[in-house]
């Protein structure tokens, strides 16, 4: 039997393997999936995980629960030698080993783009995985508890200051949802003054949400500012050392929570450790039919999809356009990729990937959203309902859909849960210290000079 290696269990990899299981005959090929996590993250739900509107585990789809015929390896493909049909796998435990294959599907996904800014690596939290979303939420809830015991002053102001860096889709959605949660928390903390709550969104360009046109993007800025947020456009983060945020505009402030959502970078394995063709950005060169290579020089037995693949976008007329790295494309590419692999195994021609956008929809907090399809723009509650409706239909499996709907119904009746479980990040602390009260982590000193210029 042929071996089909799926390198990466994210959107594209999960859907490829899932559909291959359903379409392949049992004696036709075996599927091997390599991914360091035992689940696929449904990333559109991460902003709602931040806000407590979706349980963290409901935004994760178990690979073993759904890929019952595939062989799952907990590890990472760190190199591909396609000339010899061999991949190098670094397992979760133990030394690296070579894994042979007949057909490879590269869906390793992109990684968080990092910049060499002082303090970011030590202070910031990303927003690409479920664990990060949970940590952000718990960090905010813990900050409210700690701030409520303090007198008004610099430390309390620092604890109630949140900074998001990056005004793209995930950044704006996460920012809006966390702002919604923080605003609602004020009712449970009468000791705190709502004016002390500070939310900053920093974007290097002159606009946020590049996925929508200028008018809707400006409306989102105005909407967030009406809710008390500070939107810093044409501003770059210069330093975040010890939680002291310095912007290129000259503004400075202390922030207890810094969230990094600047964007994606090429996967290191694809960029530097494979003999498959890549472009100048370190992305895998993929044809419209999802085979690796160019129209004139396809690479036999190699396929690619998802965020680490530069796939021609046949739905737009602009020469050289490639599909944008989002869930809409990754899911559909994974499904088509499975059909194309089966077609080639059975002597048929693969089909080209063409997807016309269904529009852009974003959540901006509980009951708030925006939707745009060409010249049609819907704002507020209707757009928010469209966002929820679309994603509950899109999340894989009826089991996950039912669980998410149950949480939403419970929240509608009783409100969002505001319990912080930040202690799970250090579960042995109570065991080691016994019943003694635990001192909170030491905070860096508060700077005496803060510039709050516009």
């Amino acid at each position: 039997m042929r071996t089909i290696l799926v390198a990466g269990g994210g959107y594209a990899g999960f859907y490829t393997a899932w559909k291959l299981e359903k379409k392949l005959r049992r004696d036709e090929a075996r599927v091997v999936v390599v991914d360091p996590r035992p689940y696929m993250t449904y990333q559109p739900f991460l902003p709602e995980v931040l806000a407590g509107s979706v349980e963290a585990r409901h935004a994760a789809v178990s690979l073993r629960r759904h890929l019952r015929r595939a062989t799952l390896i907990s590890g990472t493909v760190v190199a591909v030698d396609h000339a010899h049909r061999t991949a190098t796998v670094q397992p979760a435990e133990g030394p690296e080993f070579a894994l042979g294959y007949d057909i490879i599907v590269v869906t390793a996904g992109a990684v968080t783009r990092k910049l060499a800014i002082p303090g970011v690596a030590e202070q910031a939290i990303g927003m690409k995985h479920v664990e990060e979303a949970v940590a952000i939420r718990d960090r905010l809830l813990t900050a409210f508890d700690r701030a409520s015991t303090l007198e008004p002053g610099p430390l309390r102001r620092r604890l109630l200051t949140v900074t998001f860096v990056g005004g793209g889709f995930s950044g704006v959605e996460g920012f809006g949802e966390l702002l919604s949660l923080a605003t609602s928390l004020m009712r449970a903390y009468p000791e705190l003054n709502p004016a002390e709550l500070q939310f900053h969104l920093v974007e290097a360009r002159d606009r946020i949400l590049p996925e929508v046109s200028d008018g809707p993007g400006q409306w989102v800025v105005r909407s967030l500012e009406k809710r008390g947020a500070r939107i810093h456009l044409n501003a770059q983060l210069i330093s975040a050392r010890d939680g002291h945020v310095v912007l290129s505009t000259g503004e400075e402030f202390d922030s207890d929570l810094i969230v990094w959502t600047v964007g994606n970078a090429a996967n290191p394995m694809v960029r530097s450790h494979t003999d498959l063709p890549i472009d100048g950005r370190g992305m895998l060169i993929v044809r419209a039919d999802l085979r690796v290579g160019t129209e004139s020089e396809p690479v036999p037995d190699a396929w690619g999809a998802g965020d680490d693949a530069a796939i021609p976008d046949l739905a737009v007329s602009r020469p050289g356009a490639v599909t944008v790295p989002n869930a809409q494309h990754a899911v559909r590419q994974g499904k088509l990729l499975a059909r194309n692999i089966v077609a080639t195994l059975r002597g048929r021609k693969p089909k080209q990937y063409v997807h016309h956008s269904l529009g852009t929809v974003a959540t901006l907090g509980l009951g708030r959203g925006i939707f745009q399809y060409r010249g049609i723009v819907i704002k507020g509650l209707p757009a928010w309902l469209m966002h929820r409706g679309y994603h509950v239909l899109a999340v894989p499996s009826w089991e996950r859909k039912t669980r998410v709907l149950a949480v939403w119904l419970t929240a509608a009746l009783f409100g969002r849960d505001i319990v912080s479980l930040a202690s799970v990040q250090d579960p042995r602390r109570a065991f080691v210290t016994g019943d003694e009260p635990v001192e909170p982590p030491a905070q860096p000193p508060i700077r005496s000079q803060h510039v709050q210029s516009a």
Side-chain angles (χ1 to χ4, degrees):
M1 266 198 310
R2 290 189 177 101
T3 295
I4 302 173
L5 172 61
V6 180
Y11 277 119
F14 171 80
Y15 275 95
T16 299
W18 200 23
K19 296 303 178 182
L20 280 173
E21 282 196 347
K22 296 179 180 180
K23 294 179 180 300
L24 286 170
R25 294 188 291 267
R26 286 191 175 272
D27 60 348
E28 198 166 15
R30 72 184 188 109
V31 179
V32 179
V33 180
V34 180
D35 195 89
R37 288 179 168 80
Y39 57 83
M40 183 270 284
T41 302
Y42 189 73
Q43 291 183 338
F45 276 158
L46 292 187
E48 297 208 50
V49 172
L50 256 67
S53 298
V54 170
E55 286 294 325
R57 284 182 173 83
H58 299 169
V61 180
S62 170
L63 298 183
R64 290 193 178 272
R65 185 183 184 97
H66 298 284
L67 303 180
R68 298 182 179 180
R69 290 173 51 194
T71 300
L72 303 178
I73 298 177
S74 178
T76 305
V77 174
V78 294
V80 172
D81 180 1
H82 189 64
H84 297 92
R85 302 298 193 272
T86 303
T88 303
V89 177
Q90 175 62 65
E93 298 290 341
E96 294 181 352
F97 62 88
L99 179 64
Y101 63 83
D102 298 287
I103 299 170
I104 190 168
V105 177
V106 181
T107 52
V111 298
T112 300
R113 182 159 63 98
K114 302 181 183 72
L115 302 177
I117 298 174
V120 166
E122 296 78 15
Q123 300 292 325
I125 303 175
M127 208 183 82
K128 197 174 181 64
H129 302 291
V130 173
E131 304 94 326
E132 294 171 322
V134 172
I136 291 168
R137 179 173 182 268
D138 286 343
R139 182 82 166 265
L140 179 76
L141 295 172
T142 302
F144 268 75
D145 286 332
R146 294 178 59 199
S148 66
T149 65
L150 297 172
E151 294 295 326
L155 180 54
R156 188 157 115 170
R157 188 164 57 246
R158 173 198 176 99
L159 288 168
L160 298 176
T161 300
V162 176
T163 304
F164 273 65
V165 185
F169 215 79
S170 61
V172 171
E173 285 197 312
F175 184 82
E177 285 287 350
L178 202 64
L179 174 60
S180 177
L181 172 63
T183 303
S184 67
L185 280 176
M186 280 295 175
R187 294 192 294 270
Y189 291 86
E191 311 94 327
L192 302 177
N193 184 346
E196 295 177 291
L197 187 64
Q198 298 290 320
F199 266 67
H200 299 265
L201 177 62
V202 181
E203 170 53 49
R205 292 167 293 189
D206 60 355
R207 53 166 300 176
I208 61 174
L209 281 182
E211 295 86 354
V212 302
S213 56
D214 290 345
Q218 292 167 2
W219 176 85
V220 172
V221 171
R222 293 194 300 270
S223 174
L224 292 172
E225 289 178 338
K226 285 179 182 177
R227 294 159 59 189
R230 289 285 308 278
I231 311 298
H232 305 268
L233 299 178
N234 294 311
Q236 297 180 20
L237 180 65
I238 301 299
S239 174
R241 188 177 285 119
D242 296 331
H244 182 68
V245 175
V246 181
L247 303 182
S248 59
T249 57
E251 296 173 271
E252 300 182 28
F253 50 86
D254 287 315
S255 181
D256 184 66
L257 177 56
I258 301 173
V259 183
W260 183 263
T261 61
V262 169
N264 295 329
N267 190 290
M269 184 275 287
V270 175
R271 184 184 64 236
S272 306
H273 302 288
T274 176
D275 56 353
L276 296 171
I278 59 173
D279 64 13
R281 299 176 300 151
M283 308 290 282
L284 194 67
I285 298 175
V286 178
R287 296 157 36 119
D289 61 5
L290 304 182
R291 286 188 284 188
V292 174
T294 62
E295 291 301 320
S296 59
E297 296 183 17
V299 178
D301 302 323
W303 303 78
D307 292 356
D308 62 357
I311 301 170
D313 192 346
L314 303 183
V316 300
S317 56
R318 187 173 71 256
V322 296
T323 57
V324 297
N326 63 22
Q328 274 191 41
H329 285 301
V331 169
R332 289 166 176 82
Q333 288 167 5
K335 292 178 179 179
L336 177 63
L337 202 158
R339 293 197 298 270
N340 281 353
I341 290 176
V342 173
T344 55
L345 288 176
R346 297 173 183 173
R348 301 196 303 267
K349 287 187 63 175
K351 295 182 179 179
Q352 293 188 323
Y353 176 75
V354 184
H355 172 62
H356 297 275
S357 175
L358 303 176
T360 300
V361 63
T363 176
L364 304 174
L366 195 62
R368 300 176 175 90
I370 186 164
F371 168 82
Q372 182 177 16
Y373 176 67
R374 297 181 180 176
I376 301 172
V377 178
I378 300 175
K379 305 171 184 175
L381 180 61
W384 178 76
L385 292 172
M386 293 172 66
H387 177 274
R388 285 205 160 183
Y390 172 78
H391 285 299
V392 79
L393 291 174
V395 67
S397 84
W398 283 104
E399 173 257 343
R400 275 294 178 263
K401 299 179 200 295
T402 304
R403 290 181 186 274
V404 170
L405 282 171
V407 172
W408 283 344
L409 179 59
T410 305
L413 293 174
F414 304 109
R416 290 180 289 206
D417 199 324
I418 60 171
V419 175
S420 169
L421 295 178
S423 58
V424 301
Q425 297 169 41
D426 189 4
R428 297 189 66 253
R429 178 180 289 180
F431 176 74
V432 172
T433 60
D435 294 330
E436 295 295 322
V438 178
E439 290 293 325
Q443 291 290 326
I446 302 297
R447 310 264 176 146
S448 58
Q449 69 280 0
H450 292 165
V451 180
Q452 294 283 356
S453 58

